[in-house]
Amino acid sequence: AIRAYEGNPRHAENAEYARIKASIRATGTDQPLIVTHRPGEQSYTIHSGCNTRLRILKELHDETGDARFAETTCVVRPWTQEVDVLLAHLRENDLRGPLTFLDKALAVCAAKRLFEEAQGQRRIKQNRLIEMLRAQGYALSTALVCQMTDTVERLLPVIPQALNAGMGRPQVERIRQLERAARALWLAWLTEDETAFEAVFTTLCRRYDGPDWIISDLRRALEAEIAERADASIHAINLGLEQALLGRHAAAPRPPGPAARETRADALASTPMAGQRDDARDEREATF
């Protein structure tokens, strides 16, 4: 009569699953399941947390047929709205076991969609989303919400294996920093617009996606791509990217164009050659 919550933020199996199952097999459950009842449905739904315990009780009953696993004490929470249940699971999972950064990001984006649906599909701005989450007991910083949104909307389509393997927030931030620096370098050295950079960046991300993500592979590939298109040395591009990562974008200037090269050639042509300079010097010395 009880279903697991289908929107559970935790996508990977609970790391403590085997230990919890052994404990319930030996002594049963010592905490009630928190459930709710959606209007129009016959079964109850887990309201907050408890999905792991529900699954284990069902498994143990199927495996043993023992009646003590067929029933359990429950606390029924009144139904309010879908987003309340989602955030209740998010808070509970955060307390009981670490979620991956992707799990949290997906849950926050899902909460945003549910808030918007509840308000008639009106788009919610980021500051308003943060206020609504805080009111539900899930406070996040502006920077963190930006990272989560960027992860779901931009990175997940191109590096799904790396993110699903458990890539954390620090790694996500390093990718975002690399992207910003490479974009600045691209615009400094090339005449191609940002659309071309976006295509190159997403293509290379897909190429190097995998459970064992190594960001240095992506960096080297970006450097090689920019160097080839700019007809520049890989050393110059490497140095420019390093400076851009430090926030010194001026250290990666656009190479001189044809007009600049012509100006420099004219200046060299009007400068006396070495022999001419020597003759002029000898003439001045003779005067003294």
Side-chain angles (χ1 to χ4, degrees):
I2 305 173
R3 295 188 316 171
Y5 176 57
E6 63 276 10
N8 186 19
R10 186 188 299 279
H11 293 91
E13 185 171 289
N14 192 324
E16 296 292 311
Y17 190 87
R19 182 191 63 78
I20 296 171
K21 185 173 182 178
S23 174
I24 292 176
R25 184 192 297 271
T27 61
T29 58
D30 56 0
Q31 294 180 346
L33 299 184
I34 312 299
V35 301
T36 189
H37 190 250
R38 281 194 185 100
E41 293 189 356
Q42 293 186 345
S43 60
Y44 287 84
T45 300
I46 294 293
H47 178 275
S48 51
C50 311
N51 286 290
T52 297
R53 278 180 286 151
L54 175 65
R55 176 183 164 190
I56 288 172
L57 285 169
K58 289 178 180 288
E59 283 185 358
L60 288 173
H61 184 259
D62 289 342
E63 292 170 6
T64 67
D66 193 327
R68 67 192 178 104
F69 299 126
E71 297 181 353
T72 188
T73 303
C74 297
V75 172
V76 181
R77 293 277 174 84
W79 174 264
T80 51
Q81 57 180 345
E82 197 70 40
V83 70
D84 294 340
V85 180
L86 170 63
L87 291 175
H89 280 274
L90 185 56
R91 292 192 301 269
E92 187 70 16
N93 276 294
D94 251 355
L95 290 172
R96 293 186 174 274
L99 293 170
T100 67
F101 184 71
L102 178 60
D103 284 344
K104 294 180 183 179
L106 287 169
V108 167
C109 289
K112 180 176 183 291
R113 288 193 298 272
L114 291 172
F115 280 134
E116 290 172 341
E117 289 174 8
Q119 297 188 9
Q121 304 295 336
R122 287 186 302 165
R123 184 172 179 79
I124 296 175
K125 294 184 178 180
Q126 182 174 283
N127 289 341
R128 178 59 180 154
L129 172 62
I130 292 171
E131 292 174 0
M132 297 174 82
L133 290 172
R134 185 181 293 113
Q136 292 273 9
Y138 200 72
L140 298 173
S141 68
T142 301
L144 184 52
V145 172
C146 283
Q147 288 177 335
M148 288 177 167
T149 303
D150 191 64
T151 297
V152 173
E153 294 180 354
R154 298 191 67 255
L155 293 183
L156 184 57
V158 295
I159 54 169
Q161 294 182 64
L163 286 167
N164 281 297
M167 177 182 285
R169 181 185 176 187
Q171 294 169 295
V172 167
E173 181 55 29
R174 286 183 65 196
I175 295 173
R176 295 175 78 235
Q177 290 171 350
L178 176 61
E179 180 187 7
R180 288 193 295 267
R183 187 189 302 274
L185 192 68
W186 178 282
L187 296 176
W189 282 81
L190 298 169
T191 57
E192 299 175 76
D193 61 19
E194 290 191 59
T195 305
F197 172 80
E198 189 70 25
V200 168
F201 181 78
T202 56
T203 297
L204 292 178
C205 281
R206 289 191 178 99
R207 180 183 301 171
Y208 293 101
D209 181 33
D212 301 319
W213 171 269
I214 303 176
I215 194 171
S216 57
D217 291 343
L218 175 61
R219 174 174 174 168
R220 283 194 295 268
L222 283 168
E223 290 173 346
E225 188 72 26
I226 296 173
E228 181 179 352
R229 288 173 180 249
D231 193 21
S233 72
I234 194 71
H235 175 73
I237 299 302
N238 176 271
L239 179 61
L241 185 57
E242 187 63 34
Q243 295 301 307
L245 284 166
L246 295 173
R248 303 170 186 169
H249 301 300
R254 182 192 296 273
R261 287 195 292 270
E262 289 174 8
T263 302
R264 183 163 55 186
D266 293 341
L268 290 173
S270 63
T271 302
M273 299 298 290
Q276 294 173 325
R277 289 197 298 270
D278 290 342
D279 292 342
R281 184 190 59 195
D282 293 343
E283 184 176 346
R284 288 196 302 274
E285 291 174 351
T287 304
F288 295 107

